[in-house]
Amino acid sequence: MILSQNTVKCQEKIDTVLYFDKIYSAFPVISVKCDGKVSVRFESGEIDGVSGSGENFVTNKDISHMSQRMHSVGFIRLMVENLSDNDAYIDSVKLLYSHYPVNNEGRFKCSDPLINKIYDVCLHTLKICRQNTHLDSPTHQEPIACTGDYYIQALMEYMNIYDPTLTAFDIYRTSQI
């Protein structure tokens, strides 16, 4: 992700928002180069202005911080405070995109661009909610309470991704509980 400002002068604070082309189920990775104390906070969410979750870290040397928690990312708000006497650099902001493997993907095209876009968004949403189990969203899961949701998602997957393996796992897991 390209930042509009990647140098943080000594004793300076920056606050910037990075927008992504769609919502991702991902682990944010923020790399900072510094030689002195730097405080970093990031907030991520699906819709700008509605903060979903955030994390803080402080470092006094070069670091590549990977979140230990999956986030639902449509944007990242990055707040960096350089508390040192040396310039610091935001080297990169990346996403480690996570979803259950998809080997085949359905295709749909019609003469109405809006319907085509709806299909593309629905297929992407289906993919980001396929993790080690089916999720309601990349950051919300109800391990056994949503068997009806699993059923609906399984039908959509069968028609659009042609992969019943996660469904088979959910059925097995449900039977064990």
Side-chain angles (χ1 to χ4, degrees), residues 22-35:
K22 56 180 88 168
I23 296 169
Y24 292 93
S25 47
F27 297 87
V29 180
I30 299 170
S31 298
V32 176
K33 292 186 182 286
C34 63
D35 184 19

Side-chain angles (χ1 to χ4, degrees), residues 37-173:
K37 188 174 181 181
V38 174
S39 173
V40 178
R41 173 160 179 78
F42 75 86
E43 297 173 355
S44 65
E46 295 178 355
I47 301 169
D48 191 14
V50 181
S51 181
S53 58
E55 292 182 24
N56 302 306
F57 64 92
V58 177
T59 187
N60 60 4
K61 60 181 180 177
D62 297 356
I63 189 172
S64 185
H65 171 81
M66 182 182 98
S67 175
Q68 297 300 302
R69 192 174 77 67
M70 185 172 53
H71 294 254
S72 187
V73 182
F75 74 91
I76 289 180
R77 179 178 178 208
L78 186 62
M79 295 152 279
V80 180
E81 183 175 8
N82 184 352
L83 302 165
S84 76
D85 294 327
N86 302 305
D87 289 353
Y89 305 92
I90 303 164
D91 196 39
S92 64
V93 177
K94 299 177 183 175
L95 298 179
L96 292 177
Y97 179 33
S98 172
H99 65 79
Y100 197 81
V102 174
N103 295 323
N104 296 304
E105 216 175 87
R107 300 282 184 258
F108 173 83
K109 292 288 179 214
C110 74
S111 60
D112 187 333
L114 179 59
I115 293 174
N116 292 333
K117 183 171 176 100
I118 290 169
Y119 178 82
D120 292 342
V121 168
C122 289
L123 184 60
H124 179 74
T125 302
L126 187 65
K127 283 174 27 180
I128 66 174
C129 291
R130 288 176 47 127
Q131 298 296 325
N132 59 345
T133 61
H134 287 109
L135 306 180
D136 291 336
S137 80
T139 57
H140 177 251
Q141 56 183 307
E142 298 173 13
I144 193 63
C146 293
T147 305
D149 290 352
Y150 297 155
Y151 176 67
I152 294 166
Q153 192 160 359
L155 292 173
M156 292 187 300
E157 284 175 3
Y158 185 74
M159 295 303 295
N160 294 288
I161 297 175
Y162 318 112
D163 178 12
T165 54
L166 190 55
T167 300
F169 174 71
D170 279 336
I171 292 169
Y172 175 77
R173 187 174 52 83

Side-chain angles (χ1 to χ4, degrees), residues 7-38:
T7 301
V8 186
K9 301 278 187 201
C10 61
Q11 304 301 317
E12 181 183 33
K13 291 181 187 179
I14 66 162
D15 187 340
T16 189
V17 180
L18 308 168
Y19 299 97
F20 295 87
D21 61 334
K22 56 180 88 168
I23 296 169
Y24 292 93
S25 47
F27 297 87
V29 180
I30 299 170
S31 298
V32 176
K33 292 186 182 286
C34 63
D35 184 19
K37 188 174 181 181
V38 174

